[in-house]
Amino acid sequence: MNDEYPLTPQQISNYQRDGYIQLNDVFTGEDLAAFRDAVEAGVKEDTKNLDPNRVKGSYEQIFIQCVNLWHRYPKVKPFVLSPKLGRIAARLMGNSVRIWHDHALFKEPHTGAKTPWHQDTPYWPHQQKMHQLTIWVALRDATIQNGCMSFIPGTHRMFDIEPVNLGDPQDLYAVAPQTKGIKPVTCELKAGSVTIHNGMTFHYAGPNRSDGLREAIAIIYMPDGTTYSGTGHQTTDPLKLSVGQRLDQPIFPLVAN
Ligand SMILES: O=C(O)CCC(=O)C(=O)O
């Protein structure tokens, strides 16, 4: 789990050009099994009191989302804070990186709705928005049938687009007409492989039409030195930060230089 992933200069420049990249076999064998078991156990515990027959709102139909599992589950923590993932993030970003947060994203069989096209960084209370990135780890195979990720290359350079409301999305071309004509790329992943996207890159995942859960955990990194913008977010609201304050509190640990 702590070995160095052999990221090549070509992969780094492809990521910087396209705003996303796929890396295969980042976790394999016992490490993959331990990571998956730990996240599955955390999601099970977090959701144990939910009524399976409840009426789900439109956001909840997209996926079961459990934020910051690493805070609550000691077996998840070494994976989320792993130097291996941190080094990948730091090399792609070209900066020291802090954890912004993690979230397990489990799309339920048959009922899991699509994840609409969106950019991430506009949702976050950060004053700098260019370099945040997400490592999205497939804990089981992610396929077109069960809702793997797609990306629109180059859209990480498109700023000033209104954030998409995931629960009530508008058509992509209404929100971002400048994406017309750019062909999306869909990335099927074997379990243990990852996609990595810049927080400004438009991405999407289809509905889960399979019989099993689509199980992924997304770990989000921000450059060391990122400062607070003052807008609301569940991770920063309890901290009572001032606008302009650095996000360097213990819940945002530095994981790689
Ligand atoms: O897992 C999904 O369906 C979407 C994930 C996503 O939007 C993200 O990781 O930023």
Side-chain angles (χ1 to χ4, degrees):
M1 166 189 21
N2 289 323
D3 50 320
E4 178 95 6
Y5 186 85
L7 198 59
T8 65
Q10 186 64 53
Q11 287 172 316
I12 296 172
S13 65
N14 290 350
Y15 169 79
Q16 287 167 351
R17 180 194 62 205
D18 298 333
Y20 79 95
I21 193 168
Q22 170 171 342
L23 300 179
N24 293 328
D25 298 325
V26 175
F27 295 98
T28 55
E30 286 177 6
D31 280 347
L32 170 61
F35 195 3
R36 180 168 54 216
D37 290 352
V39 174
E40 283 178 350
V43 170
K44 194 167 172 200
E45 179 63 23
D46 270 16
T47 56
K48 69 178 182 204
N49 294 324
L50 287 179
D51 173 0
N53 298 317
R54 72 198 178 284
V55 177
K56 292 184 194 156
S58 52
Y59 187 83
E60 213 193 342
Q61 287 171 31
I62 301 174
F63 35 50
I64 299 167
Q65 179 183 30
C66 300
V67 177
N68 272 337
L69 291 173
W70 77 269
H71 293 191
R72 298 184 294 290
Y73 301 107
K75 289 188 176 166
V76 175
K77 184 172 172 178
F79 289 100
V80 169
L81 304 192
S82 80
K84 179 177 192 172
L85 293 180
R87 284 282 303 145
I88 294 173
R91 291 189 63 205
L92 292 175
M93 211 186 272
N95 209 92
S96 305
V97 293
R98 289 183 181 273
I99 297 287
W100 166 225
H101 61 80
D102 72 51
H103 49 173
L105 299 167
F106 284 17
K107 241 184 220 300
E108 294 180 276
H110 303 295
T111 57
K114 70 176 183 194
T115 312
W117 286 108
H118 67 283
Q119 298 170 301
D120 293 328
T121 320
Y123 304 134
W124 299 333
H126 299 165
Q127 289 185 311
Q128 304 76 18
K129 298 201 178 281
M130 279 178 67
H131 298 298
Q132 290 81 341
L133 64 79
T134 295
I135 302 186
W136 190 98
V137 184
L139 297 170
R140 295 190 184 275
D141 294 353
T143 62
I144 291 172
Q145 204 201 7
N146 73 9
C148 64
M149 297 274 277
S150 297
F151 304 93
I152 306 183
T155 48
H156 58 309
R157 291 188 210 90
M158 293 181 181
F159 289 84
D160 300 324
I161 298 171
E162 279 302 302
V164 171
N165 178 350
L166 289 176
D168 182 19
Q170 276 182 283
D171 179 72
L172 170 66
Y173 296 145
V175 182
Q178 57 273 63
T179 62
K180 268 189 197 166
I182 313 177
K183 202 170 170 324
V185 179
T186 295
C187 299
E188 293 197 299
L189 295 178
K190 260 180 34 191
S193 297
V194 310
T195 53
I196 303 175
H197 62 273
N198 180 297
M200 294 304 293
T201 304
F202 268 97
H203 54 285
Y204 163 94
N208 182 356
R209 299 199 165 92
S210 76
D211 295 329
L213 270 178
R214 188 219 66 184
E215 296 185 0
I217 183 165
I219 303 161
I220 310 165
Y221 301 82
M222 59 185 169
D224 183 28
T226 301
T227 53
Y228 178 59
S229 71
T231 57
H233 192 273
Q234 69 181 103
T235 59
T236 41
D237 291 349
L239 301 176
K240 308 277 178 247
L241 302 170
S242 319
V243 173
Q245 195 171 339
R246 284 172 77 105
L247 295 172
D248 58 3
Q249 296 67 26
I251 65 163
F252 308 122
L254 190 67
V255 286
N257 288 300

